[in-house]
Amino acid sequence: MIAERIKELEESMTLAITAKAKAMKAQGEKVIIMASGEPDFDTPQNIKDAAVQAIAQGFTKYTATSGIDELKEALCEKFRHENRIEYTKKNVIVTCGGKQALYNAIQATINSGDEVIIPSPYWVSYVEQVKLAGGKPVILNTGVTGFDLEKLKGALTPRTRMLIINSPNNPTGAVLERATIEGIAALALERKFLVISDEVYERFIYGSGIHHSIASLGPEMKELTITINAFSKTYSMTGWRVGYAAAPEAIIKAMGMVQDHQTSNTSSISQKAALEALKGSQDSVTVMVREFEKRRNYMVERLNAIEGIECPLPPGAFYTFPRVAALYHEKLNGSFAFAERLLEEMKVALIPGVGFGSDEHVRLTYSASLEDIREGMDRIAEFVSLQRSPR
C-alpha cells in the first residue's frame, strides 16, 4: 500500500535517536543529549514579544505563500548587508523551515534522472530529498576537513544538474575557503549546473574564519545559485519553523508553486517574530556564538584525550565529528552500533556518522550546557575504557 518512492527513503537518524533519548529522559533516566541540531538557548525575548504582539493585533490569518512583504524586504537588506548579494522581493521566498526551502528548491529544479552531486559527509536529508524528486544522488567523498575540486571535476557528467554545498558544514563544521568557492563557481559557470548553497550555519564561525556566499561572486553565478537559510539556528527559533531561500525569479516562482500545494504560507505569527529577529538587537547571537566556541574547545580537548578517538577542531557550526573507527570490534562494528550501545549503556545520545555518509565517525553537538558536555565526556571516556577492558 506504500508508494515505491517512500520505500526507498532512509529514516532520519538525527530525529530518531533524539526522539528515543528524549523519551528515555521523560521516563526519568538521566540522559545526556548531544544529538539534536538545536541550540539550547531560549528564543530571545524581543522575538517572543513580537509574536505576542502579532497575536494581540489579530495578525493570525493567511499571508501570501511566499511571505509578507516586510519580511522579504528585510531579507533583501540582510543579503545586501551581510552577504553582498543584491536581491529584490521577487527573488525571495519564506518557507516552513530551512528543510522546506531545500525541498521546494529540489522539487522545482530536478527532473527524473538528473544527477545531483552531494559532497560527503552531508546533512542527512539532502540524499532523501533528491530521491523524492526522482533525481540521482551522486556522493562525492571530499573528506572531513576539506573540499576536493579535482574530485568534483571527475564527478561531473552530461547529466549533472546540481551541486549542493553546505558551509559551515553539518556534520563536520568545515568552512569552505574563498578559493574553493571560486573554484566551484568556475566549474558551475563552465558546465552550467545549479548550486544549492545551504548557509544555515553562516553566523557560527569561530576564530578568524569568514563565511563566503557563492552567489556574491558575480551576476552570472547568482543566476545559477539557490541560497538557503533559516532563523532556526541563528536565533534559536527551531520550533518557529521559518526558513527562506533566494534565487532567480523563475526558480522562486516555481518554488512558490510547490509550496502553494504543500503548506501555503509560513505561520503569520512566526513571520512577525522573524522580522523582529532581523531588525532587533543581534547581541543574543554574539553571546551564543561566544559560548559555543568555549564549549567546542572543551569538547574537542576531551575527545582527543580519549585513546582511540580523533577529533579535528571544527571552524564552524556547532558540531564535532570525531573518528571512532579505531574502537570498533566484532560487537561494536560501526557507528550505529557505537551510538546505540552508548545510549543504552551510558545514557549518552549522539548521532552515528553512517547517516551522514561516513561510518567511521559520530556526530556530537555542543549546543548543550557545559555541565552536560562535561558529564557526557566522562561517560564516553568510561564507555571506551570498558570496550578496551577484558570481558
Side-chain angles (χ1 to χ4, degrees), residues 116-151:
V116 179
I117 298 176
I118 303 173
S120 175
Y122 48 76
W123 181 54
V124 294
S125 290
Y126 295 148
V127 172
E128 309 311 317
Q129 289 193 3
V130 170
K131 289 180 186 176
L132 280 170
K136 178 184 177 183
V138 177
I139 307 304
L140 186 70
N141 187 0
T142 59
V144 171
T145 59
F147 188 97
D148 193 324
L149 286 170
E150 290 302 315
K151 283 188 177 180

